[in-house]
Amino acid sequence: MVPHLITALNGPINELEQRILDSMPAIERWFRLEWMEHTPPFYSSVDIRNAGFKLAPVDTNLYPGGWNNLTPEMLPLAVQAAMAAIEKICPEARNLLLIPENHTRNTFYLSNVAQLQRIFHMAGLNVRIGSINPEIKENTTIDLPNGDSVTLEPVIRGKRRLGLKDFDPCTILLNNDLSAGIPGILEDLHEQHLLPPLHAGWSVRRKSKHFECYEEVAKRFGKLLGIDPWLINPMFNQCGEVNFAEGTGMECLKTNVDALLTKIKRKYKEYGINEKPFVIVKADNGTYGMGIMTVRDVKDLDVVNRKTRNKMSVVKDGQEVNQVIIQEGVLTHERLNDAVAEPVVYMMDRYVVGGFYRVHADRGVDENLNAPGASFVPLAFEQSAHTPQPGMKPGASTPNRFYMYGVIGRLAMLAASYELEATDPEAENYD
């Protein structure tokens, strides 16, 4: 089930939210049946935007950082989910090797690694942190701002296994999204479980594939609830050959932006929405909020300045952008202290374990919030432990609202499991 948390949006629950709450038993059964057929990603986080008239995921991360943003009260949920996840994969697991990103000195990121180490230690595993960064040649302890510390150890690759000195793990957990490609040291491992699998990394993964799978999930879920899938699904197009640095492929981009803006306008008209449609153009692979721009009018693309072109041409680890996804922009009506906010839902195995708000005082309701200057506000537990009750007065209880975010988060997680099945190089249906 989904934890019940305080959310920033306290207005009346609208029709969509009410439909989700009233359908809770059917929704939970639907998810249960889906998980009998599909394997959830090991862990994930989903950025959600709530426009009031529409509630949709805008990004799904399969190597979530930011575990340090969850409150201590959420830890037991994460530990329980970690136990369930490990039990399914390697019930006799004793040792877990955690491989982080290579940027070793980012203490905020390393606080997230320390939290993951804590979660799996509390789940009953010996957890050590192994770095694949060639610069880490000996055990390196880094002190963190909150008084914690992490020790990074150089990984040792045997003939067919990966480990540390005097440490042979049965499970290897990646918290490194492989943006720069798949390092050979992680390939062809024998009888070791690598989580998530290599094809979940950004060297293989494409956002357009994920949202294609999400569209399928949204249609089926929409049918279950008797709602228009658009209310939970951001429409999208893609362009395969764009070079912002050289200015090539811009015609493809303009055509697709124009077509999507027209589709959004049509939907807004159908629902009587008086907002200005916009789209988000972002790198089809990649993370960390890099390579993203908001476009409100196709004419804006004629005057893209050099700074924006440079920003759009490379993403994390210096990877060039030549494929973009053009995604329907979803406004956010959430606010914390007058700053624009969006909820981020954290999951492990098939369970929602908590979340936080990404807040940005300098960004508008139609802009990307995952940018320098963002802050993170943990969602706090409600004092009352009541589960959402169908028939409760709309807007009377904020736990109800977080239940919906958990539903949308799990739909995106289910889409990720479809996506990983479709791109699995060992599966028969791999195309």
Side-chain angles (χ1 to χ4, degrees):
M1 279 305 293
V2 175
H4 309 130
L5 308 167
I6 296 169
T7 68
L9 203 63
N10 292 317
I13 285 184
N14 63 28
E15 199 183 329
L16 170 64
E17 301 181 19
Q18 195 62 57
R19 181 72 61 95
I20 289 174
L21 290 172
D22 291 344
S23 309
M24 191 176 147
I27 289 170
E28 294 307 320
R29 178 177 183 273
W30 185 83
F31 274 122
R32 205 162 54 239
L33 296 176
E34 285 292 327
W35 296 132
M36 286 168 74
E37 300 286 327
H38 304 280
T39 305
F42 186 78
Y43 57 2
S44 53
S45 68
V46 177
D47 298 353
I48 293 171
R49 304 276 285 212
N50 189 346
F53 57 86
K54 177 171 186 137
L55 180 68
V58 292
D59 218 352
T60 302
N61 189 352
L62 299 183
Y63 298 86
W67 288 90
N68 50 313
N69 292 318
L70 302 187
T71 61
E73 295 91 335
M74 291 176 190
L75 213 55
L77 287 170
V79 170
Q80 219 171 358
M83 284 175 169
I86 290 290
E87 208 170 288
K88 272 201 312 208
I89 292 151
C90 183
E92 69 283 0
R94 181 180 297 141
N95 296 338
L96 179 122
L97 178 63
L98 176 56
I99 297 183
E101 294 279 359
N102 283 355
H103 44 249
T104 47
R105 298 292 163 186
N106 181 336
T107 54
F108 187 79
Y109 170 73
L110 290 173
S111 298
N112 145 74
V113 173
Q115 181 77 312
L116 275 173
Q117 185 174 28
R118 187 176 295 114
I119 288 167
F120 285 97
H121 175 74
M122 289 168 77
L125 294 161
N126 301 318
V127 187
R128 282 163 65 179
I129 302 164
S131 177
I132 56 173
N133 184 345
E135 291 170 23
I136 300 288
K137 295 184 167 58
E138 56 187 32
N139 290 7
T140 306
T141 299
I142 298 168
D143 293 325
L144 302 175
N146 63 356
D148 275 352
S149 67
V150 290
T151 300
L152 303 174
E153 303 182 54
V155 295
I156 297 166
R157 172 72 197 234
K159 196 172 178 187
R160 305 190 66 183
R161 288 175 79 84
L162 197 64
L164 306 172
K165 191 168 183 252
D166 305 322
F167 188 75
D168 183 33
C170 95
T171 306
I172 298 163
L173 178 61
L174 285 179
N175 196 243
N176 177 324
D177 64 23
L178 310 178
S179 288
I182 296 171
I185 197 168
L186 296 177
E187 294 184 308
D188 302 319
L189 295 174
H190 182 61
E191 290 178 359
Q192 280 179 311
H193 299 278
L194 185 65
L195 305 165
L198 293 175
H199 66 281
W202 282 123
S203 50
V204 175
R205 205 175 161 224
R206 293 295 175 267
K207 292 178 183 180
S208 50
K209 181 67 185 172
H210 174 74
F211 282 100
E212 186 187 304
C213 293
Y214 183 81
E215 195 171 1
E216 186 189 332
V217 168
K219 278 179 185 162
R220 296 182 49 221
F221 188 76
K223 201 170 172 185
L224 174 79
L225 260 61
I227 60 168
D228 178 352
W230 176 75
L231 297 172
I232 54 169
N233 178 37
M235 299 186 289
F236 74 95
N237 286 335
Q238 73 184 119
C239 276
E241 293 300 324
V242 178
N243 187 317
F244 284 96
E246 293 171 14
T248 55
M250 295 304 278
E251 279 311 311
C252 167
L253 186 59
K254 286 199 281 200
T255 305
N256 279 287
V257 165
D258 194 36
L260 192 52
L261 281 169
T262 303
K263 277 167 85 172
I264 302 167
K265 277 176 193 151
R266 205 174 295 140
K267 277 292 184 187
Y268 279 18
K269 193 174 174 191
E270 182 187 333
Y271 284 92
I273 295 158
N274 296 318
E275 302 281 0
K276 186 170 171 56
F278 67 101
V279 297
I280 301 289
V281 177
K282 51 188 172 183
D284 206 2
N285 62 326
T287 182
Y288 282 104
M290 297 172 79
I292 296 181
M293 66 195 267
T294 300
V295 182
R296 300 170 186 88
D297 190 309
V298 75
K299 291 195 208 69
D300 298 350
L301 294 171
D302 292 327
V303 288
V304 175
N305 61 28
R306 181 178 291 278
K307 187 182 170 193
T308 304
R309 283 212 304 272
N310 290 345
K311 184 187 84 168
M312 291 299 295
S313 58
V314 290
V315 288
K316 187 176 161 230
D317 293 339
Q319 297 302 298
E320 280 188 15
V321 174
N322 51 31
Q323 296 177 328
V324 295
I325 178 171
I326 300 121
Q327 193 176 56
E328 174 189 352
V330 182
L331 296 162
T332 177
H333 277 235
E334 303 253 12
R335 287 278 191 293
L336 274 177
N337 305 327
D338 289 334
V340 177
E342 65 187 10
V344 185
V345 174
Y346 272 60
M347 292 162 289
M348 196 173 289
D349 194 56
R350 59 187 185 154
Y351 306 102
V352 173
V353 296
F356 56 81
Y357 276 105
R358 183 181 287 121
V359 181
H360 206 305
D362 300 326
R363 292 287 169 117
V365 294
D366 61 354
E367 292 182 297
N368 165 44
L369 305 187
N370 189 3
S375 58
F376 305 93
V377 179
L379 284 157
F381 273 102
E382 280 279 65
Q383 295 309 303
S384 139
H386 293 309
T387 50
Q389 293 298 324
M392 270 182 82
K393 188 170 163 236
S397 166
T398 44
N400 287 348
R401 188 156 259 134
F402 195 77
Y403 174 73
M404 295 177 337
Y405 295 159
V407 168
I408 299 297
R410 286 182 289 166
L411 290 174
M413 170 169 60
L414 181 59
S417 66
Y418 285 24
E419 175 196 356
L420 291 177
E421 285 165 19
T423 56
D424 185 350
E426 291 175 18
E428 289 173 22
N429 64 345
Y430 182 62
D431 51 27

